[in-house]
């Protein structure tokens, strides 16, 4: 009825405007403003009529059909429109349940897609021994625990306790080198997310053992940790990782470069260390492992 009245008034106004007797005076302006308002109201009325042609119960049926067809985005749009047009309809309660189902279904679908993408990394071989220029590097004894131990001497050692909610991923590295003063490689840990690996952190590199406490302090030289005296030296590597990351697919990754250099500081304990950074990228893809990187160990795949 409202739409009919508006149409009648519009007809009368058009008639008055087009009879040629109205000039651009205040009265004419008044009629023109009224005409614009009525046009807007007519458009709104027609839109409201179209909306009301699709009642709440039919909208809910449409939502269910879209959900069953896994058209989740369209279903969510219909749920929102039902809420906007019929805010007090009883169908909103049922629609809200479908909204929760859609949220869960989208999350499950995304997780499955990520799992399928991640399967590509599963095909990568694990390598525990790698030759990098003048170094032959071997890894063993991978552990996940509350402590990282290193710099052992006699029956003692140094250690770091993991923070609350974290664990240490640690392992042993044995380096056999033809150089008397080699640089060493650095390990990193990556989270596997779909078809990408995302960098978490790099490993700290420490000596595995000293002849005794005096050698650790640097009071005298320890030939067993000097590549100019021996060809093979053992190291301990560790990195602290949050517990929630350790439940996801992750990998220990090695860049095939020697990047850590020998450093001596008489006032440090021990005075000898290897420092530097490989500059691992924040993301790796499967193609990166064709030449520049290797996987030492994969977890949760």
């Amino acid at each position: 009825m409202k739409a009919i009245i508006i149409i009648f008034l519009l007809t009368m106004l058009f008639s008055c405007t087009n009879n040629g007797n109205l000039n651009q005076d205040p009265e004419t302006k008044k009629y023109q403003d009224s005409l614009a308002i009525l046009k807007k109201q007519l458009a709104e009325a027609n839109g409201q009529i179209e909306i009301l042609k699709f009642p709440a119960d039919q909208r809910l049926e449409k939502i269910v059909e879209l959900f069953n067809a896994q058209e989740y985005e369209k279903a969510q749009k219909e749920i929102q429109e039902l809420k906007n047009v019929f805010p007090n309809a009883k169908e909103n309660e049922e629609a809200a349940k479908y909204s929760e189902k859609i949220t869960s279904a989208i999350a499950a679908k995304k997780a499955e897609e990520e799992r399928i993408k991640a399967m590509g990394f599963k095909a990568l071989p694990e390598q525990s021994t790698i030759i990098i220029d003048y170094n032959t590097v071997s890894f063993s004894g991978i552990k996940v625990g509350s402590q990282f131990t290193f710099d052992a001497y006699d029956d003692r050692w140094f250690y770091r306790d993991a923070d609350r909610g974290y664990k240490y991923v640690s392992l042993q590295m044995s380096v056999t080198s033809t150089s008397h003063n080699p640089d060493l490689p650095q390990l990193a840990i990556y989270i596997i997310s779909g078809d990408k690996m995302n960098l978490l952190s790099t490993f700290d590199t420490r000596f595995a053992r000293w002849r005794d406490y005096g050698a650790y302090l640097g009071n005298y030289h320890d030939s067993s940790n000097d590549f100019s005296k021996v060809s093979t030296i053992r190291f301990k590597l560790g990195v602290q990782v949050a517990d929630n990351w350790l439940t996801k697919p992750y990998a220990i990754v090695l860049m095939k470069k020697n990047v850590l250099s020998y450093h001596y500081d008489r006032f440090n304990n021990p005075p000898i260390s290897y420092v530097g950074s490989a500059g691992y990228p924040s993301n790796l893809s499967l193609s990166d492992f064709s030449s520049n990187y290797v996987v030492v160990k994969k977890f949760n795949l």
Side-chain angles (χ1 to χ4, degrees), residues 147-151 157-160 170 207 236-237:
Q147 281 189 347
F148 168 41
T149 63
F150 50 90
D151 286 332
W157 56 86
F158 289 87
Y159 65 90
R160 294 175 185 165
S170 61
F207 285 95
K236 296 290 290 292
L237 313 181

Side-chain angles (χ1 to χ4, degrees), residues 67-118:
F67 175 81
N68 291 335
Q70 298 184 12
E71 297 282 351
Y72 299 133
E73 290 185 7
K74 292 181 180 179
Q76 286 284 40
K77 185 178 179 180
E78 289 292 338
I79 290 170
Q80 188 59 47
E81 191 167 328
L82 171 61
K83 184 178 179 180
N84 292 340
V85 177
F86 300 101
N88 299 318
K90 66 180 186 302
E91 285 81 3
N92 280 309
E93 184 176 346
E94 188 67 19
K97 295 178 182 178
Y98 274 95
S99 182
E100 293 177 1
K101 291 180 182 179
I102 289 169
T103 300
S104 298
I106 290 174
K109 185 178 180 180
K110 184 177 180 181
E112 179 63 13
E113 289 172 351
E114 291 290 303
R115 188 189 69 81
I116 291 171
K117 288 179 181 179

